[in-house]
């Protein structure tokens, strides 16, 4: 207590400190030692400065890591992940991935169908749903920049509702990065990109609502769920079964069941074959089915936030078989 009471009386007698000369030796120009409380204050400020320097270094390391992640894709494809400054934003994902999503027009004797696809190689390999191109006599593809190509079927897998097509004469395309669907968690934010109702490059967002949903879809040409001009009815155009019930029409006698990612991101007919994407810009699923209840007037009420996507790991496990299909079905149990 005595030292504490005398400190205010001693403080005015400290002589003024001379200007600091960084070139002068320390001992000859050192200022008088401050009292104990001032010394503690200086020590605390020094500790804060050190902590701030440590945090700054960590931030720089994190920025470097994010930058590195943004330049190299998970499957060796450059430039498809979200930039460090846009990570975690829907706009950042849309900007990074939209050039890798295409609109597919498949013509057949029954009319024309519209779906979506995902570019997976720079020379024009595109993944889509089997039901988008099933029975097609010709396939046209429109890129996000408006360029159009003809495409040929490389291989199909009706059991997984997957197909691989290849653009004719394409090169230098921006391929998507295939992520890891095993790491997806319920509640993760996701983005869907596709061409619902022919509206090319439509972006919607939501979350992963559930995992491992058993979804049953048609796989034969007669029940191919395609969006047909003039006579198209959304309730009949994207049929699927879940929990023993049929939705959006009859799936027919030839059908297949797969484990799906459920999302509340808005999906509509035409989103088939498009991408479900995580916030790092990686493809985690291929959109394949949706529930569209009928309105009171008998028409479709549109998306109600019950969409389903084929996990991307299912696609990755199937790619070799699809590539070796030579335009024929490569389905397997």
């Amino acid at each position: 207590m005595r030292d504490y009471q005398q400190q205010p009386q001693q403080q005015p007698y400290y002589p003024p400190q001379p200007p600091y000369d960084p070139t002068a030796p320390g001992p000859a120009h050192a200022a008088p030692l401050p009292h104990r409380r001032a010394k503690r204050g200086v020590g605390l400020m020094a500790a804060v400065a050190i902590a701030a320097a440590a945090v700054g270094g960590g931030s720089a390391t994190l920025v470097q890591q994010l930058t590195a992640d943004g330049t190299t894709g998970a499957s060796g494809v450059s430039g498809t992940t979200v930039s460090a400054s846009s990570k975690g934003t829907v706009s950042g994902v849309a900007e990074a991935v939209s050039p890798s999503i295409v609109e597919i027009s498949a013509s057949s004797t029954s009319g024309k169908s519209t779906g979506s696809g995902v570019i997976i190689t720079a020379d024009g390999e595109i993944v889509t749903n089997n039901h988008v191109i099933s029975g097609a006599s010709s396939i046209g593809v429109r890129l996000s920049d408006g360029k159009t190509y003809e495409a040929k079927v490389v291989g199909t897998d009706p059991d997984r509702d997957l197909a691989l097509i290849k653009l004719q004469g394409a090169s230098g395309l921006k391929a998507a990065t295939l992520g890891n669907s095993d790491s997806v968690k319920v509640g993760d934010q996701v983005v869907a990109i596709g061409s619902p109702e022919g509206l090319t490059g439509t972006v919607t967002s939501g979350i992963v609502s559930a995992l491992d949903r058993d979804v049953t879809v048609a796989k034969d040409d007669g029940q191919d769920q395609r969006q047909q001009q003039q006579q198209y009815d959304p309730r009949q155009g994207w049929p699927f079964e879940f929990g023993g019930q049929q939705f959006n029409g009859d799936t027919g006698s030839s059908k297949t069941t797969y484990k799906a990612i459920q999302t509340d991101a808005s999906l509509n007919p035409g989103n088939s074959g498009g991408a479900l994407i995580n916030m790092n810009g990686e493809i985690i699923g291929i959109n394949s089915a949706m529930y569209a209840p009928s309105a009171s007037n008998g028409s479709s009420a549109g998306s109600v936030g019950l969409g389903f996507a084929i996990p991307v790991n299912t696609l990755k496990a199937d790619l070799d078989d699809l590539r070796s299909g030579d335009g024929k079905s490569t389905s397997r149990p």
Side-chain angles (χ1 to χ4, degrees):
M1 292 292 294
R2 180 178 302 173
D3 290 341
Y4 176 81
Q5 293 173 353
Q6 289 179 352
Q7 283 177 1
Q9 297 176 356
Q10 293 174 356
Q11 190 170 358
Y13 294 99
Y14 286 131
Q17 299 181 6
Y20 174 64
D21 183 358
T23 62
H29 295 270
L33 292 174
H35 55 83
R36 183 169 296 177
R37 290 189 65 187
K39 186 173 182 179
R40 288 176 181 171
V42 172
L44 178 59
M45 292 181 63
V48 172
I50 293 172
V55 171
S59 299
T61 302
L62 179 59
V63 170
Q64 290 173 357
Q65 290 173 347
L66 293 177
T67 303
D69 289 344
T71 56
T72 304
S75 30
V77 181
S78 299
T80 59
T81 48
V82 183
S83 64
S85 60
S86 299
K87 274 186 177 289
T89 67
V90 174
S91 60
V93 171
E95 181 180 6
V97 185
S98 288
S100 302
I101 311 302
V102 303
E103 178 183 325
I104 298 174
S105 297
S107 299
S108 68
T109 55
S110 60
K112 217 178 229 189
S113 66
T114 300
S116 305
V118 181
I119 300 172
I120 61 170
T121 63
D123 61 350
E125 281 189 342
I126 294 174
V127 173
T128 186
N129 288 139
N130 177 64
H131 73 254
V132 171
I133 55 87
S134 178
S137 56
S138 65
I139 301 173
V141 174
R142 180 185 295 273
L143 306 187
S144 64
D145 61 5
K147 291 182 180 179
T148 59
Y149 292 87
E150 293 295 318
K152 299 294 183 183
V153 176
V154 176
T156 63
D157 188 345
D159 288 332
R160 291 179 172 83
D161 196 17
L162 290 171
L164 184 68
I165 64 176
K166 179 74 179 293
L167 301 185
Q168 305 299 295
S171 63
L173 304 182
K174 188 172 183 179
T177 298
L178 303 183
N180 178 13
S181 52
D182 287 345
S183 65
V184 175
K185 296 180 178 60
V186 173
D188 284 352
Q189 189 174 6
V190 290
V191 174
I193 305 179
S195 300
E197 310 292 353
L199 300 174
T200 305
T202 296
V203 177
T204 57
S205 65
I207 63 168
V208 173
S209 304
L211 299 171
D212 297 326
R213 293 296 200 198
D214 286 325
V215 174
T216 300
V217 298
K219 67 176 183 178
D220 64 346
D221 292 348
Q223 301 285 340
D224 60 10
Q225 312 172 40
R226 290 176 294 177
Q227 176 179 348
Q228 298 180 1
Q229 293 180 340
Q230 305 298 328
Q231 57 189 5
Y232 175 69
D233 180 353
R235 292 174 299 161
Q236 303 297 323
W238 209 351
F240 76 100
E241 296 178 14
F242 177 74
Q245 299 184 48
Q246 294 182 342
F247 302 97
N248 308 342
D250 186 359
T251 54
S253 59
S254 180
K255 58 189 71 174
T256 184
T257 301
Y258 54 81
K259 299 288 187 181
I261 299 170
Q262 182 181 328
T263 179
D264 70 350
S266 179
L267 302 179
N268 287 285
N271 273 115
S272 289
L276 190 67
I277 312 156
N278 66 20
M279 301 312 289
N280 291 323
E282 300 166 336
I283 310 300
I284 60 168
I286 303 298
N287 298 322
S288 57
M290 50 85 71
Y291 170 50
S294 58
S296 57
N297 60 2
S299 64
S300 171
S303 173
V304 293
L306 291 174
F308 302 92
I310 301 165
V312 74
N313 284 6
T314 300
L315 165 63
K316 291 194 291 187
D318 207 22
L319 264 180
D320 287 343
D321 285 346
L322 291 171
R323 284 171 171 153
S324 64
D326 194 24
K328 299 177 182 179
S329 171
T330 59
S331 63
R332 61 186 182 188

